[in-house]
Amino acid sequence: MQATATVLVYSDDAGTREQVRLATGRRPAQDAPVVEFVECATPAAVLSELDRGGIDVCVLDGEAVPMGGMGMCRQIKDEVFDCPPVLLLIGRPQDAWLATWSRADAAVTLPVEPVEFAAALASLLRRKALAA
C-alpha cells in the first residue's frame, strides 16, 4: 500500500471538515496509509482538485450548500474519468437510499462518529490500493 493517501473533503461547513480530520487522525487504520487532506468549500473547488488529479478518496458532505454532496457525487461519477471512491456524509440513516442513487461507494451519518467513519475510510483506501 502507498505511504500517503490524499483525501478530498468537501463541505461548506468548516466544523464538518474538522470532524472528518479529527476522526481520521494521521491514518484511519494501522494498515492504511498516512492521510493528507485537501479541503474544498465549493463545488468548483472540488472539480478543480479532481481535474488536477492525485485524489485517492473523496469525502462529500450530503448537507453542503449550495450543492449537496449527493448531487456532487453523481456529477463527478458521470464526469470524472477514473473517479476516486466517494464516502458520503448523510444527515439521517434513512438517506442511505439517496447515497445509493448518487453512486457513493460508502455512506456514514452526521455528526461524524470517529470509529464508524475511520472504518469506512480505511475500507475505501484498501479497495483503492487493491484496484491499483
Side-chain angles (χ1 to χ4, degrees):
M1 188 172 284
Q2 66 192 33
T4 303
T6 303
V7 175
L8 181 145
V9 182
Y10 164 61
S11 179
D12 65 313
D13 182 348
T16 299
R17 295 192 308 267
E18 180 181 28
Q19 286 179 42
V20 168
R21 286 192 321 272
L22 292 174
T24 305
R26 286 195 64 217
R27 62 179 65 201
Q30 285 185 334
D31 64 335
V34 172
V35 171
E36 294 179 356
F37 293 100
V38 173
E39 294 186 33
C40 298
T42 66
V46 172
L47 295 174
S48 176
E49 289 295 336
L50 289 172
D51 283 345
R52 187 174 298 144
I55 302 296
D56 295 298
V57 173
C58 295
V59 177
L60 308 178
D61 179 1
E63 305 297 313
V65 177
M67 180 180 216
M70 292 179 207
M72 183 92 260
C73 180
R74 191 155 175 103
Q75 179 178 346
I76 66 175
K77 290 289 187 172
D78 283 342
E79 296 177 3
V80 175
F81 176 73
D82 199 23
C83 184
V86 174
L87 175 54
L88 191 59
L89 305 174
I90 57 178
R92 314 171 299 155
Q94 298 88 335
D95 293 336
W97 72 273
L98 287 167
T100 301
W101 167 85
S102 72
R103 293 188 236 148
D105 298 278
V108 296
T109 56
L110 286 167
V112 173
E113 195 286 308
V115 174
E116 177 189 24
F117 178 83
L121 180 58
S123 175
L124 293 179
L125 289 169
R126 286 184 204 107
R127 191 170 12 168
K128 173 90 174 171
L130 287 175

